[in-house]
Amino acid sequence: MAEPLTEIQLQHWRSFLESSWALHTRLEDELRAATGLSMNDYHVLVVLAEAPGRRIRMGELANRLVLSPSRVTYQINSMIKRGLVRKESCPEDGRGYEAVLTEEGLETLRAAAPAHLTTVRKSFIDQLDDEELAVIGRAFARIRKV
Amino acid sequence: MAEPLTEIQLQHWRSFLESSWALHTRLEDELRAATGLSMNDYHVLVVLAEAPGRRIRMGELANRLVLSPSRVTYQINSMIKRGLVRKESCPEDGRGYEAVLTEEGLETLRAAAPAHLTTVRKSFIDQLDDEELAVIGRAFARIRKV
């Protein structure tokens, strides 16, 4: 049986939970209002834009997005319809598929990034000093691996 | 025009974004598998269990949950159907409504809490030392107020 959380652990946990939830919601709302993109759309565009050849296998993409394979298929199909991404079979593996960023996808990302990063700065970066940001960055890199 | 983020700011931001997203997903999946409750269900039960008289106005609840008023109505109606919550008009204000925790809601929370808090401990608390947890708790309390 695990030890119960202390009062102070619970308090910090809830502060983090409610606040990070509110932050995700605000980022999603402001991004949608400014560009029509969801956070998932934006994140797919960023991951593809930085991948070698601007292409990435569907399974690897699912991992980066924390989506189930069926949810990734739905997400990518929606972006294909909007011309942001296309799907191609893998050169090395005829059974697999890759998502490939289109020119329009790249342009959409370039147009959306300044406003989105202004929200990120205002809502997150500017609220933290360098040391706090480093603590948070390192801690969540560790948490990601659990 | 806002300054662009530095390489290190972007790196810490993305570490936080991907990891906190994965954490929310894991908490949601494990809670649902163990209890059938969503994180929103659980959070409503906690907030009500701690409120004076185990009741809270719908608007105040929306605020704590970071949900739009229509989404809160949907959430509460779903919990009413499952017998976890009931809705009553406010004693002081005939036009407003309060959500009230039922006995069954309280029992459901008591049954769900140990397994959920074990996940919270394993996935979050145990990954952090006391100082990191305090930095994160204080930073996100500040971010919540933006």
Side-chain angles (χ1 to χ4, degrees):
Chain A
M1 179 78 190
E3 258 181 276
L5 302 188
T6 65
E7 228 3 85
I8 192 82
Q9 285 175 329
L10 251 190
Q11 182 190 318
H12 289 321
W13 161 247
R14 288 212 198 147
S15 158
F16 164 72
L17 183 68
E18 294 194 11
S19 175
S20 61
W21 201 335
L23 178 61
H24 276 282
T25 303
R26 183 187 317 141
L27 287 167
E28 179 90 25
D29 289 350
E30 296 201 7
L31 184 63
R32 268 192 197 279
T35 69
L37 298 170
S38 71
M39 284 289 283
N40 272 330
D41 293 336
Y42 186 88
H43 201 59
V44 168
L45 295 176
V46 168
V47 169
L48 286 177
E50 293 177 350
R54 291 179 187 149
R55 58 178 61 231
I56 193 166
R57 292 178 63 104
M58 299 292 275
E60 166 72 14
L61 195 55
N63 228 18
R64 291 288 301 273
L65 297 178
V66 204
L67 292 176
S68 64
S70 69
R71 196 70 188 67
V72 169
T73 303
Y74 178 86
Q75 170 69 33
I76 295 299
N77 284 342
S78 152
M79 295 179 79
I80 290 171
K81 273 186 209 146
R82 287 174 283 155
L84 304 173
V85 170
R86 60 177 192 277
K87 200 154 85 173
E88 294 181 0
S89 56
C90 296
E92 319 89 59
D93 173 3
R95 292 167 309 166
Y97 284 95
E98 289 176 332
V100 184
L101 189 65
T102 63
E103 264 314 304
E104 191 178 342
L106 189 60
E107 284 309 309
T108 300
L109 176 61
R110 284 185 178 143
H116 177 61
L117 292 176
T118 297
T119 308
V120 171
R121 174 177 284 290
K122 186 180 57 162
S123 309
F124 185 76
I125 301 285
D126 284 353
Q127 308 306 318
L128 305 170
D129 65 31
D130 289 351
E131 180 54 25
E132 288 172 324
L133 181 61
V135 167
I136 290 171
R138 284 193 301 261
F140 280 91
R142 199 185 317 134
I143 286 169
R144 182 75 172 97
K145 295 198 190 102
V146 177
Chain B
M1 180 75 191
E3 258 181 275
L5 302 188
T6 65
E7 221 12 76
I8 192 84
Q9 285 175 330
L10 252 190
Q11 182 191 318
H12 288 323
W13 161 246
R14 288 211 198 147
S15 158
F16 164 72
L17 182 68
E18 294 194 12
S19 175
S20 62
W21 201 336
L23 178 61
H24 277 281
T25 303
R26 183 186 320 141
L27 287 167
E28 179 90 26
D29 290 350
E30 297 201 6
L31 184 63
R32 270 191 196 278
T35 68
L37 297 170
S38 71
M39 284 289 283
N40 272 330
D41 293 336
Y42 187 88
H43 200 58
V44 168
L45 294 176
V46 168
V47 168
L48 285 176
E50 293 177 351
R54 292 182 185 147
R55 56 179 61 230
I56 193 165
R57 292 179 63 104
M58 298 292 276
E60 166 71 13
L61 195 55
N63 229 17
R64 289 289 300 272
L65 297 178
V66 204
L67 291 176
S68 64
S70 69
R71 195 72 187 64
V72 169
T73 303
Y74 177 86
Q75 171 69 33
I76 295 299
N77 284 342
S78 151
M79 295 179 79
I80 290 171
K81 272 185 212 149
R82 287 175 283 157
L84 305 172
V85 170
R86 59 177 192 277
K87 201 155 85 174
E88 293 182 0
S89 56
C90 295
E92 320 89 59
D93 173 4
R95 292 168 309 167
Y97 284 95
E98 288 176 331
V100 184
L101 189 63
T102 64
E103 265 314 304
E104 190 177 342
L106 189 60
E107 284 309 309
T108 300
L109 175 61
R110 283 186 179 141
H116 177 61
L117 292 176
T118 297
T119 308
V120 171
R121 174 178 283 291
K122 187 181 57 163
S123 308
F124 185 76
I125 302 283
D126 284 353
Q127 308 307 318
L128 305 170
D129 65 33
D130 290 350
E131 179 54 25
E132 289 173 323
L133 181 61
V135 167
I136 290 171
R138 284 194 301 263
F140 280 91
R142 201 183 316 134
I143 286 168
R144 183 74 171 97
K145 295 197 190 103
V146 176

